[in-house]
Amino acid sequence: MKYQILIGLMLMTCTWVSAQNDTPRRWALDAHAGGVKPIPSHTDGVGISSLSSIGIPDSHSGLLTKLHAEYYIPFSPFSVKGGYEHEEMGLLGGDAYADVNQLMLGGRYYPAPAKWVIQPYAGLDTYYNIGEKTKRIDMAASSSDHHMDYTRKGIIRMPAFSAAPVVGVDIYIFTCIAIQMEYGFRMGIGPKTEIDSKYNSNPTVFHTTTHYHRHTFTVGLKLSFPFRWTRADGDNLIEGLFDCLFY
């Protein structure tokens, strides 16, 4: 059965038309998944380590998914990029939760020659929140040790706008298929989230504020167009299958 699969792939490869590796990329699609982590918020009257010791951790990681289209500006190392993104991020150990749907528009600069397999880039992105922007929090938590009970009240304000410098790399495993990795630091623009926390073990009311500045890191798949599958791509695919099957 293994040999039948390999023979079929070889026959398919023979029918593909060879393409020039220097065919310019005109546009691309990419899809990503990864993480988002808000930076520690500011709490009046107590440090982050002290806040953690009397309650629960301040920060909370979340999930980020992205879908983009990219247009390469002809005869230049620049491109324009836009799409949709979804962020799930928390604060105060997840007690305060933001679910952000947003449109993204940005640009990229590719300093390396287009023929290179590894394509590093830098860019700047902007985001507009098209979903819910404000919600209230009014919650209480209890445990077997009542000294650790606490309440939280306040307003969660998701950023209406955000901006982020980004750096990343496209690693082309085939002529028009790349693995993409990207890091960004997103800065929330607009009113800040404000939450008051009260712990049974401490008479102080702690006032927490944040603008939802956050780190992001994602990994995704990128398809460039016009799409070409070269004979070399087919050979590489078959060699990879041989390695997986026999080694």
Side-chain angles (χ1 to χ4, degrees):
M1 183 63 182
K2 294 178 180 178
Y3 294 102
Q4 291 175 345
I5 294 173
L6 292 174
I7 292 171
L9 288 171
M10 289 178 184
L11 291 174
M12 291 174 62
T13 303
C14 291
T15 64
W16 288 323
V17 178
S18 294
Q20 297 297 323
N21 290 334
D22 59 355
T23 300
R25 302 181 185 101
R26 295 188 177 91
W27 61 284
L29 296 173
D30 67 71
H32 283 230
V36 54
K37 186 174 182 61
I39 65 172
S41 55
H42 174 73
T43 300
D44 292 338
V46 65
I48 296 301
S49 59
S50 299
L51 182 62
S52 300
S53 67
I54 62 173
I56 53 180
D58 175 71
S59 61
H60 185 74
S61 299
L63 177 67
L64 170 62
T65 53
K66 309 191 287 189
L67 181 62
H68 303 132
E70 185 174 7
Y71 173 72
Y72 295 97
I73 299 174
F75 309 109
S76 82
F78 298 97
S79 71
V80 178
K81 190 169 187 176
Y84 166 80
E85 302 193 6
H86 178 75
E87 289 184 60
E88 301 173 3
M89 51 184 172
L91 181 71
L92 296 171
D95 286 348
Y97 195 79
D99 192 21
V100 185
N101 297 289
Q102 54 199 351
L103 298 179
M104 170 269 185
L105 181 64
R108 297 289 183 272
Y109 168 65
Y110 295 88
K115 63 182 179 180
W116 285 17
V117 172
I118 297 178
Q119 289 287 318
Y121 63 82
L124 179 66
D125 290 344
T126 58
Y127 312 89
Y128 174 63
N129 183 358
I130 58 175
E132 183 181 34
K133 298 179 177 63
T134 303
K135 62 180 179 181
R136 290 190 172 276
I137 177 174
D138 189 350
M139 53 91 54
S142 60
S143 64
S144 56
D145 181 1
H146 293 295
H147 289 287
M148 301 301 293
D149 293 353
Y150 63 90
T151 60
R152 300 197 196 279
K153 294 183 180 180
I155 300 178
I156 301 173
R157 298 183 178 93
M158 280 69 77
F161 294 94
S162 297
V166 297
V167 292
V169 63
D170 296 341
I171 304 173
Y172 279 88
I173 54 177
F174 298 108
T175 302
C176 295
I177 303 176
I179 300 297
Q180 188 173 72
M181 295 180 286
E182 184 173 282
Y183 165 80
F185 180 69
R186 303 188 176 190
M187 296 167 281
I189 301 172
K192 58 190 175 183
T193 287
E194 298 182 87
I195 300 172
D196 289 330
S197 302
K198 175 68 172 63
Y199 298 84
N200 282 0
S201 60
N202 194 314
T204 305
V205 176
F206 300 103
H207 184 69
T208 300
T209 59
T210 183
H211 286 283
Y212 272 118
H213 303 325
R214 63 264 191 210
H215 301 280
T216 65
F217 180 78
T218 59
V219 177
L221 187 68
K222 181 175 183 177
L223 302 179
S224 299
F225 299 88
F227 189 84
R228 296 287 187 271
W229 186 272
T230 68
R231 189 175 301 278
D233 291 332
D235 292 341
N236 291 337
L237 178 60
I238 292 173
E239 289 176 5
L241 289 174
F242 267 113
D243 290 340
C244 292
L245 292 172
F246 299 109
Y247 297 101

